[in-house]
Amino acid sequence: MCGILGILTKHSLPMSGRDLQGAVHALRHRGPDDEGYLLFDAQGSRVRAFAGPDTMRGVDLPPVAGADPSLYSCAFGHRRLSIIDLSAAGHQPMASADGRCWVTYNGEIYNYLELRRELEARGATFRTASDTEVLLEAYRHWVTGMLTRLTGMFAFAILDLETRRVLLARDQFGIKPLYLSRRPEGLAFASEIKALLRLPGVGRRGNAERAYQYLRYGERDAAPPTLFQDVERLPAAHFLQVDLDTLRTEGPTRYWAIDLEQRSDATFTEAAAEVRRLFDASVRLHLRSDVPVGSCLSGGLDSTAIVLEASRALAGQAPMHTFSFIADDPRIAEERYVDLVGGTVVHKVRPRAADIAADIDQLIDAQELPFESLSIYAQFRVFRLASEAGIKVMLDGQGSDEIFGGYYTLLGARISGLLAGLHLATARRVLASAPANARAYRARMLATAAGRLLPASIQGAVARSFGEPEFPDWLAAGWFRERRVQPRLRDHGRGRDALRQELKLCVEHLTLPALLRYEDGNSMHFSIESRVPFCTPDLAQFALSLPPHYLVADDGDTKSVFRAAVADLVPEAILRREKVGFAVPERAWLRGLREWVEGAPYAALPFLEPDAVRREITAALAFDGRWPPHVWRLVNMAFWSRAFAVEWG
């Protein structure tokens, strides 16, 4: 696991070697174990590796601070977190044996041993025990065709001196980030926005459309634009190729997607058995590491299943360390469920409101972009706890809800599919069987289910009639209209197959991309590699090939097939408990920070109506009931804009 940065231009590098080193230093937390550089020119006549202050012993290279930028037009920079092959042989940027290709790579290829054996059978030889060298050889044999063979998480750049191209690629789910900045003189890329902001020509101007979408509806779109006008993201499951002669880009090109045309004819029992086989295999693959592996443990179904299966796989070795957030509020506290999971070394953290005030600057810096709720702070503290215990690799359960149908909001999609197929009695049954902690939202479920049946052209008008204005009074509508921001409702699953369509949208846009971004930011801030065993192509494709009632059952049971798959593994009390999500006492925390919340720099943001914002916040803190999610978004936007000196012209 690492941090990568690259600059591709046709002329001399726009910064000195020392300044390049400073930009890469912004990624040090992603890779404190090693540091490396590759400088080359667009003509390919000069290619040379360099070292930095943290380059590990055994790597004999000249210092990049002394490099002459006039001799080179392009650069790769690398920070390494050593997980597999901890020796200096794993140093990056790494060259292929014949010197044709160089790679700077962030991630892990879990099936690297199987790929290595396949490549050796094709005549490849290896000098290291690293997955990085396997990635290089896979490229030499299959070029972009290798991408669908990789099981893992990755974002990388490969320089091919023969084809005179640079290949940028990102894993199937977008577990690892890759940000881009396109400029007239070329292209820059990095694992984090902070590093790009240190490069000449990358500005801090805010993106008005993304600001509107975040404030009004939350983070629900993994499209390339970010809240920084000069920074975009390479989408998950895409690659981009750069021609070094012209610096023209080809792509992004999608290389993988869940195929909803694939449909399994397995019985429910057969499907549960196959889910279990795929799940067990994925967990065991995700345990490959040359350092100890720990796990997040929330007390919910997904993390419990991962911990117990991993413990089985590690039987006879030292017990796994688990790390849990414990809320003070007994309505959402999950400590009793955490305590049901035996055989591990348990670590717990209990943050208070005052801790948030002390840590908020670090959290905003770690996340780089605004986030949805203070549950991200609870996760931040879990990874800090793991770091303090000396753990470098963690497992977590992100992705299960998206592929198996775990969110209660998906009941609306399930009901919509039933209504479209005129299965009215079953639709009534699903609605009536909603879990106790979701029954207060039955009317909303039914409304959203019916709304999916309406033509897209009138959905906005209907939403407005139900009290969902495009511009609430706390938004300065005129500011957005001047910038031609077009409000739009999010996409939904539709028709008889609404549930599976909605799940695919969740994987690609609605929920999973944001959750993976939060996970990466929090874990890498503490130099921890976080692995998500549910996010593998085989498991996701099989889950979404199943009939809707295998996922959300006719009795309203969410993740039905996964519960059946792990019924012999997970304690009954956890297996059958109602979902609470990764809940935190957000209202209580913010009540304890009232002065801090009310004093946020709202007036500095031209798209907010400060008086209306404060009324919203005061009302939300004063009353109980459903917490309005936009309140934290307002607070976060104000502090984020100040922390990153965002320009809102």
Side-chain angles (χ1 to χ4, degrees), residues 54-263:
D54 290 330
T55 299
M56 64 193 309
R57 292 182 179 179
V59 178
D60 185 17
L61 295 169
V64 72
D68 182 353
S70 68
L71 299 178
Y72 308 95
S73 58
C74 305
F76 286 173
H78 190 88
R79 296 294 318 204
R80 181 184 177 201
L81 182 67
S82 303
I83 303 296
I84 293 175
D85 189 348
L86 310 185
S87 73
H91 176 80
Q92 292 188 53
M94 180 183 288
S96 58
D98 60 4
R100 168 190 156 186
C101 301
W102 288 80
V103 66
T104 180
Y105 147 59
N106 169 29
E108 298 290 351
I109 307 302
Y110 303 123
N111 64 334
Y112 76 103
L113 294 177
E114 290 79 4
L115 288 172
R116 179 178 176 132
R117 287 193 287 269
E118 184 177 356
L119 289 163
E120 285 174 333
R122 297 169 64 96
T125 57
F126 292 88
R127 300 156 293 155
T128 77
S130 70
D131 60 328
T132 306
E133 190 178 13
V134 172
L135 177 64
L136 266 176
E137 284 299 317
Y139 171 81
R140 292 181 69 252
H141 282 76
W142 299 306
V143 197
T144 58
M146 72 168 175
L147 293 167
T148 55
R149 296 172 177 261
L150 304 179
T151 298
M153 52 182 178
F154 53 84
F156 62 75
I158 292 179
L159 165 66
D160 188 329
L161 293 171
E162 184 175 294
T163 64
R164 305 189 46 68
R165 287 190 161 205
V166 170
L167 171 69
L168 302 173
R170 198 167 169 218
D171 66 73
Q172 294 92 334
F173 295 87
I175 304 166
K176 291 293 103 184
L178 191 60
Y179 294 101
L180 312 174
S181 184
R182 301 174 189 264
R183 299 170 295 167
E185 65 272 21
L187 176 78
F189 62 86
S191 297
E192 293 188 5
I193 295 171
K194 289 190 288 291
L196 289 177
L197 293 176
R198 291 192 174 214
L199 301 182
V202 181
R204 294 173 181 262
R205 188 158 48 102
N207 184 312
E209 183 173 356
R210 301 302 293 183
Y212 171 81
Q213 293 296 334
Y214 168 73
L215 288 167
R216 184 64 189 91
Y217 299 113
E219 189 168 356
R220 55 172 200 179
D221 187 350
T226 73
L227 268 162
F228 288 100
Q229 194 69 39
D230 285 359
V231 178
E232 63 184 86
R233 57 175 67 85
L234 181 66
H238 282 71
F239 66 85
L240 179 75
Q241 298 190 81
V242 185
D243 186 315
L244 287 178
D245 291 323
T246 64
L247 288 186
R248 290 178 181 159
T249 59
E250 181 182 317
T253 303
R254 178 177 281 279
Y255 65 85
W256 178 84
I258 292 170
D259 182 3
L260 294 183
E261 295 301 314
Q262 288 190 31
R263 294 178 181 268

Side-chain angles (χ1 to χ4, degrees), residues 435-507:
N437 61 357
R439 287 172 190 164
Y441 307 110
R442 279 178 179 164
R444 190 176 184 88
M445 283 181 206
L446 188 58
T448 57
R452 286 176 169 86
L453 303 176
L454 298 174
S457 59
I458 67 170
Q459 287 184 356
V462 172
R464 288 191 295 274
S465 70
F466 277 87
E468 293 288 346
E470 292 172 338
F471 291 103
D473 64 356
W474 41 268
L475 281 180
W479 189 89
F480 288 108
R481 289 183 176 128
E482 286 173 4
R483 286 152 183 80
R484 300 184 180 180
V485 172
Q486 296 295 321
R488 55 183 174 82
L489 296 176
R490 74 168 177 86
D491 293 333
H492 292 85
R494 302 177 66 83
R496 298 187 180 194
D497 207 18
L499 178 62
R500 293 197 315 135
Q501 290 178 15
E502 189 96 354
L503 290 173
K504 183 176 180 182
L505 285 168
C506 284
V507 169

Side-chain angles (χ1 to χ4, degrees), residues 546-581:
L546 298 174
H549 63 281
Y550 285 19
L551 304 169
V552 178
D554 293 346
D555 62 1
D557 189 31
T558 58
K559 288 197 281 200
S560 182
V561 72
F562 184 65
R563 292 181 197 276
V566 296
D568 67 323
L569 181 67
V570 175
E572 184 71 14
I574 296 174
L575 190 71
R576 295 301 165 195
R577 61 172 299 204
E578 294 180 342
K579 181 178 179 62
V580 297

Side-chain angles (χ1 to χ4, degrees), residues 258-293:
I258 292 170
D259 182 3
L260 294 183
E261 295 301 314
Q262 288 190 31
R263 294 178 181 268
S264 171
D265 59 1
T267 66
F268 184 84
T269 300
E270 292 169 342
E274 179 63 4
V275 165
R276 179 60 178 274
R277 184 189 72 80
L278 291 169
F279 171 71
D280 288 357
S282 182
V283 170
R284 290 167 186 260
L285 206 59
H286 282 70
L287 290 172
R288 286 181 173 172
S289 170
D290 291 337
V291 298
V293 179

